[in-house]
Amino acid sequence: MNLQIITPDKTVFSGEVSVVTLPGTNGSFQILQDHAPIVSTLGKGTLMADKQEFTIDGGVVEVVNNKVLVLAEAVL
């Protein structure tokens, strides 16, 4: 599936991944291939994409048709 991590300043990451773990505001959760469409708020924490880690400062995630779009307030 395709993952994009975008901040107001730039695109931090764009590429294919097999699993994404996100810091939701009510706890972390994972997105896998063929996940149901979802929109969720994100808290401050670690976003893991396969073996890559990004520390985000909150934001929103949208998942539709194996495309994961993370609109992060900042990537620390």
Side-chain angles (χ1 to χ4, degrees):
M1 71 188 146
N2 183 269
L3 169 65
Q4 285 191 307
I5 303 172
I6 300 173
T7 66
D9 300 328
K10 63 182 176 180
T11 298
V12 176
F13 178 87
S14 181
E16 293 294 315
V17 297
S18 58
V19 61
V20 180
T21 303
L22 300 156
T25 52
N26 293 323
S28 65
F29 61 98
Q30 284 189 329
I31 304 293
L32 300 170
Q33 186 78 13
D34 297 324
H35 195 285
I38 185 175
V39 174
S40 180
T41 56
L42 301 173
K44 185 174 183 176
T46 302
L47 181 157
M48 293 189 62
D50 290 337
K51 296 187 182 206
Q52 300 179 63
E53 290 187 14
F54 303 91
T55 301
I56 64 170
D57 193 21
V60 177
V61 62
E62 177 188 49
V63 179
V64 178
N65 295 329
N66 290 318
K67 294 180 183 174
V68 181
L69 175 61
V70 175
L71 303 174
E73 293 180 26
V75 175
L76 309 172

